[in-house]
Amino acid sequence: KAGVTQTPRYLIKTRGQQVTLSCSPISGHRSVSWYQQTPGQGLQFLFEYFSETQRNKGNFPGRFSGRQFSNSRSEMNVSTLELGDSALYLCASSVQGASNEKLFFGSGTQLSVL
Amino acid sequence: AQSVTQLGSHVSVSEGALVLLRCNYSSSVPPYLFWYVQYPNQGLQLLLKYTTGATLVKGINGFEAEFKKSETSFHLTKPSAHMSDAAEYFCAVRITTNAGKSTFGDGTTLTVKP
């Protein structure tokens, strides 16, 4: 079974641009969550999608958005990029997103904003 | 609401020595607790989890953790460190009233000296 796949692996953008990151969960997993990882803030929850619906959202500005498609693949978008958005963005999937389920993580997308 | 505190951002042990990584949590409802490991340039992978039942949980690679409700702790241990254990370790908490969201500690970097 293929693992969680995130593309692209690396991205370099400039301030003011927008970016779209993609995540393909493990087959059969319907929950996809996104996390931002930085040296200063650690792992911060962005949002979680289940069956194409956003079920939960972290404390990030509206520039951060996401969506989930009928095949459970998910995308997140960041508009009007700021230098502080430079981070490793991790996607994780699970079957139902239940609280007792483990998360399967992708290798992440490393975003650098110049 | 839930939160996690990992005591010690860096822990260094000699090969063959005991590994002890500390995690304390705060939760308004009974929590589910997880330990994840992250190797350089990779996503996180689950070491072990506590949901219900036995409070001593065994995981992969010889790690185990004990849930102590009275101390609100979930410390990770391994009797004998191996060079391959060098990585960053994250403690995480999830609760049923906050669907889809995991709250992570700031991480502990484990160094293993030969």
Side-chain angles (χ1 to χ4, degrees):
Chain A
K1 215 178 211 183
V4 178
T5 304
Q6 290 189 246
T7 57
R9 186 72 179 89
Y10 299 95
L11 264 178
I12 300 176
K13 293 286 187 179
T14 56
R15 278 182 299 174
Q17 286 186 310
Q18 75 163 21
V19 67
T20 299
L21 313 181
S22 178
C23 172
S24 293
I26 291 172
S27 178
H29 286 195
R30 295 166 64 193
S31 169
V32 174
S33 51
W34 290 87
Y35 292 84
Q36 181 195 65
Q37 185 177 22
T38 59
Q41 298 295 318
L43 277 151
Q44 300 290 316
F45 173 75
L46 280 156
F47 28 64
E48 188 252 3
Y49 287 87
F50 179 79
S51 292
E52 302 178 65
T53 300
Q54 186 182 89
R55 282 199 303 195
N56 207 340
K57 190 177 188 306
N59 297 323
F60 279 83
R63 300 185 297 107
F64 292 81
S65 62
R67 59 178 175 169
Q68 187 180 34
F69 302 95
S70 58
N71 61 358
S72 293
R73 190 177 70 86
S74 178
E75 289 181 347
M76 69 163 280
N77 184 78
V78 188
S79 62
T80 319
L81 284 166
E82 301 177 359
L83 295 178
D85 297 333
S86 295
L88 179 67
Y89 290 88
L90 291 167
C91 160
S93 76
S94 64
V95 177
Q96 300 278 1
S99 297
N100 60 351
E101 287 183 323
K102 78 181 215 183
L103 297 177
F104 292 82
F105 283 84
S107 296
T109 294
Q110 184 67 55
L111 172 64
S112 297
V113 182
L114 307 178
Chain B
Q2 70 263 35
S3 66
V4 175
T5 301
Q6 289 184 239
L7 298 174
S9 58
H10 291 84
V11 170
S12 180
V13 300
S14 298
E15 191 173 20
L18 171 72
V19 175
L20 171 61
L21 305 181
R22 300 178 187 273
C23 171
N24 287 90
Y25 69 90
S26 173
S27 174
S28 53
V29 299
Y32 300 120
L33 296 160
F34 304 78
W35 275 101
Y36 289 88
V37 61
Q38 186 178 32
Y39 298 100
N41 300 314
Q42 293 186 27
L44 282 69
Q45 58 180 270
L46 182 74
L47 281 174
L48 49 79
K49 66 176 183 177
Y50 168 79
T51 54
T52 58
T55 56
L56 182 62
V57 181
K58 295 187 186 298
I60 61 172
N61 301 339
F63 285 94
E64 62 181 39
E66 187 171 10
F67 171 63
K68 292 187 176 181
K69 185 179 178 181
S70 61
E71 299 177 9
T72 61
S73 69
F74 191 57
H75 301 332
L76 182 71
T77 61
K78 181 174 180 177
S80 177
H82 195 271
M83 297 297 290
S84 61
D85 295 326
E88 190 161 18
Y89 293 79
F90 293 90
C91 181
V93 61
R94 299 182 78 173
I95 60 176
T96 56
T97 54
N98 208 349
K101 175 180 178 178
S102 292
T103 298
F104 287 85
D106 290 337
T108 298
T109 300
L110 175 66
T111 301
V112 182
K113 298 174 292 186

